[in-house]
Amino acid sequence: MTVDSAGDIAPAAPATKEELLARVAHGDQSAFGELYDQIAPRVLGLVKRLLVDHAQSEEVTQEIFLEIWQSASRYEPTRGGASTWILTMAHRRAVDRIRSSQAGRDRDTKIGIRDLAVAYDHVAETVEVRLEHERVEKAMTRLTQLQRQAVSLAYYGGYSHSEVAEQLHIPLGTVKTRLRDGLIRLRDELGVAS
């Protein structure tokens, strides 16, 4: 309140947002309350337009005012008005919340897809494996006895080429030739493209 020239008491002009922000920078809680009263509706309105969800908008608005309280000393009046500084901060916070929410949804979707149990038909799989096994057995009968021995030892027995050579008492080069020829014949019999 101020006293005019006639001696009447006139209400003082409300402090500007810039003045209030300068006082908030020095820890003035009453200035913070006034600043809140002046700009909170605009901040909440901006945040709510971006986030839509009222509860999240209130939460983000609270975070913005906490940030204003903590960082008011960083406000530079030469770079723009207090309203612009505060509303820019509000916009950034709201956009950060949107991005964070989207990242969370994307992460949940990826985890959900990864953990999705794919329907598995055990009977069909067993039948398919059995039929494939019968085809391979039939194709193996079309190999020469020497090729069949080499392929059986190497692929069913799990022996290395040199171990197959030792088992069959033949040179390593001969084992490799029998395996190559046997696999080519199997490929042709099974109709597998190379």
Side-chain angles (χ1 to χ4, degrees):
M1 292 196 180
T2 59
V3 178
D4 64 12
S5 60
D8 294 329
I9 298 176
T16 66
K17 291 175 190 72
E18 288 76 13
E19 292 168 342
L20 292 172
L21 205 49
R23 289 173 37 204
V24 170
H26 295 294
D28 186 335
Q29 292 179 4
S30 65
F32 182 75
E34 285 181 55
L35 179 66
Y36 181 88
D37 291 341
Q38 284 187 22
I39 198 146
R42 286 184 65 195
V43 171
L44 180 61
L46 171 66
V47 172
K48 194 170 181 183
R49 266 197 323 267
L50 293 169
L51 296 181
V52 180
D53 182 293
H54 186 73
Q56 275 198 36
S57 299
E58 287 179 339
E59 186 178 319
V60 169
T61 299
Q62 183 178 2
E63 292 171 5
I64 292 162
F65 278 97
L66 178 62
E67 186 175 351
I68 291 168
W69 176 255
Q70 293 172 338
S71 65
S73 61
R74 291 196 313 240
Y75 167 65
E76 296 177 32
T78 58
R79 297 186 72 193
S83 293
T84 304
W85 185 72
I86 292 169
L87 293 174
T88 299
M89 185 184 306
H91 185 268
R92 287 182 182 153
R93 279 277 180 158
V95 169
D96 286 348
R97 178 62 65 99
I98 292 167
R99 288 179 180 153
S100 175
S101 294
Q102 184 61 47
R105 283 192 300 274
D106 291 348
R107 184 176 48 254
D108 290 346
T109 300
K110 286 178 185 176
I111 289 171
I113 289 170
R114 183 194 69 203
D115 294 345
L116 179 66
V118 178
Y120 181 73
D121 187 348
H122 293 284
V123 174
E125 182 70 22
T126 302
V127 169
E128 190 175 327
V129 167
R130 186 169 293 145
L131 290 173
E132 191 63 29
H133 182 71
E134 289 173 4
R135 283 185 65 215
V136 171
E137 279 184 349
K138 185 176 178 182
M140 288 284 286
T141 62
R142 298 216 168 78
L143 299 179
T144 67
Q145 177 64 29
L146 299 173
Q147 289 171 341
R148 192 170 34 257
Q149 278 181 322
V151 169
S152 294
L153 288 171
Y155 293 98
Y156 291 118
Y159 292 104
S160 68
H161 293 176
S162 56
E163 291 171 331
V164 171
E166 285 179 33
Q167 291 263 337
L168 298 177
H169 307 292
I170 56 175
L172 181 60
T174 305
V175 168
K176 289 182 180 184
T177 301
R178 287 182 186 172
L179 285 171
R180 186 194 71 231
D181 293 345
L183 291 176
I184 290 170
R185 188 174 227 170
L186 278 175
R187 182 190 69 204
D188 293 343
E189 291 292 329
L190 293 171
V192 177
S194 56

